[in-house]
Amino acid sequence: MGWTQRRINTFLFVLTLIGSLAALADVLMRDALLMTRVGYAVAAASTGILLIAYRRGWEYARHLMALGITLAIAAFTNEPYISQQMDLLHAVPIVIALVLTGPRWLLINAALLLVILLVRGEWSGVYTKPVNLAAYAVLAGGMALSRLAVDNAQRLEVARRIAEEERERAANALTLAQQRANELERRNAEQEQLLRLISDLETPAITIADGVLLAPVVGRLDACRAQALNKRLLETAARQRARLVILDIAGVSHVDESVANSLIQAAQALQLIGCRVAVSGISPAVAALLASLNITLPDVITCRSPQDALTLHL
């Protein structure tokens, strides 16, 4: 299981608390000064309080922890580690700041520790030597650069993960869009099939005898239905080699001039492919309308019912 930055920080808080408690126990068992004991006790209590605060979400506890360790080490360092020789313990605040905070606070804590040690050594001693000062600067600067590198790597990883999630979302969206397009295409095909079925039902052409087609028309016959009727009659009559086509318009509620002309055109087209045409079921209202419009049906048989037209044909 990978360790998150917060888990690492918490672990470092716990280690620091254990170290401060161990140091407090050591000074309590030795014949140390009262102020020293109080100082170690305050350090241990402060570490515990900061740990609790950080666990409850107070992020500035990290910075206070790094600063407190820097001040504690600078205050409790004794000779000969101030003016005569360098102490490995002086790298601890830099390491703590490296883990808990970042490059900026790391450099601030390193500079603060150096200044305090120089002041306590009265601006002389081991840290005034150019070689030692350069080594200290390289240590702090190297840790700062390493933290920068880690932060950049983490940001790149986060960016890569976000980009990967975006690509996955885009792929899912594309797949969903393709599925919807396929579903829409399927529905369109079903709708077209349904429209063709409705058209067939609206304009049926039924074989009632050898070479005889009956086309009953029911309802309001508008220009669109008349055109569909003409097309279907021509296709069916040609395919079945019909000799007589009976148009039964007894169920037509209304016929206007354009529809009447469409029926005449249908009769003429059927006659051109060798069919006789009979129109049955003409109501008095339709007959009166056709007469008023001076519309005639040349070479078209008119009769009262399809049975009459079939009798005349036979």
Side-chain angles (χ1 to χ4, degrees), residues 100-139:
L100 291 181
T101 58
R104 182 180 301 176
W105 271 86
L106 184 152
L107 295 176
I108 291 174
N109 287 339
L112 179 61
L113 176 63
L114 180 62
V115 169
I116 294 176
L117 292 176
L118 289 174
V119 170
R120 291 188 62 190
E122 297 180 353
W123 301 97
S124 63
V126 65
Y127 284 104
T128 59
K129 295 179 180 180
V131 175
N132 295 336
L133 191 60
Y136 187 81
V138 168
L139 175 65

Side-chain angles (χ1 to χ4, degrees), residues 232-248:
R232 179 166 176 76
L233 285 177
L234 287 173
E235 292 176 352
T236 306
R239 184 174 62 253
Q240 298 187 8
R241 299 181 180 276
R243 297 187 302 273
L244 173 65
V245 177
I246 303 173
L247 292 176
D248 182 35

Side-chain angles (χ1 to χ4, degrees), residues 275-291:
C275 296
R276 297 175 62 193
V277 180
V279 178
S280 65
I282 299 177
S283 65
V286 174
L289 175 64
L290 294 177

Side-chain angles (χ1 to χ4, degrees), residues 37-213:
R37 295 180 177 181
V38 172
Y40 276 94
V42 170
S46 300
T47 303
I49 293 173
L50 290 176
L51 173 59
I52 295 173
Y54 180 70
R55 291 294 297 171
R56 293 186 176 181
W58 192 48
E59 293 297 326
Y60 288 106
R62 300 180 291 115
H63 303 82
L64 287 180
M65 173 65 78
L67 181 61
I69 291 175
T70 299
L71 295 176
I73 291 179
F76 290 112
T77 298
N78 297 319
E79 291 291 355
Y81 301 110
I82 296 178
S83 60
Q84 298 180 18
Q85 65 183 60
M86 299 178 68
D87 188 3
L88 185 61
L89 189 63
H90 294 166
V92 172
I94 302 177
V95 175
I96 297 296
L98 171 69
V99 177
L100 291 181
T101 58
R104 182 180 301 176
W105 271 86
L106 184 152
L107 295 176
I108 291 174
N109 287 339
L112 179 61
L113 176 63
L114 180 62
V115 169
I116 294 176
L117 292 176
L118 289 174
V119 170
R120 291 188 62 190
E122 297 180 353
W123 301 97
S124 63
V126 65
Y127 284 104
T128 59
K129 295 179 180 180
V131 175
N132 295 336
L133 191 60
Y136 187 81
V138 168
L139 175 65
M143 289 188 176
L145 291 176
S146 67
R147 179 57 188 261
L148 281 175
V150 171
D151 291 345
N152 289 335
Q154 290 178 347
R155 283 193 290 269
L156 289 175
E157 177 62 22
V158 171
R160 185 199 63 79
R161 188 163 56 250
I162 292 175
E164 186 66 26
E165 292 174 354
E166 290 295 332
R167 283 195 296 269
E168 185 176 355
R169 280 195 291 269
N172 293 336
L174 182 60
T175 303
L176 181 60
Q178 185 64 38
Q179 292 175 352
R180 290 180 177 176
N182 294 337
E183 179 67 17
L184 182 60
E185 184 177 358
R186 184 184 64 81
R187 291 183 179 180
N188 288 338
E190 292 178 353
Q191 185 176 11
E192 290 179 0
Q193 184 178 4
L194 181 61
L195 290 176
R196 286 194 298 269
L197 178 60
I198 293 174
S199 177
D200 293 343
L201 293 176
E202 286 183 342
T203 57
I206 307 169
T207 301
I208 59 174
D210 185 21
V212 180
L213 288 179

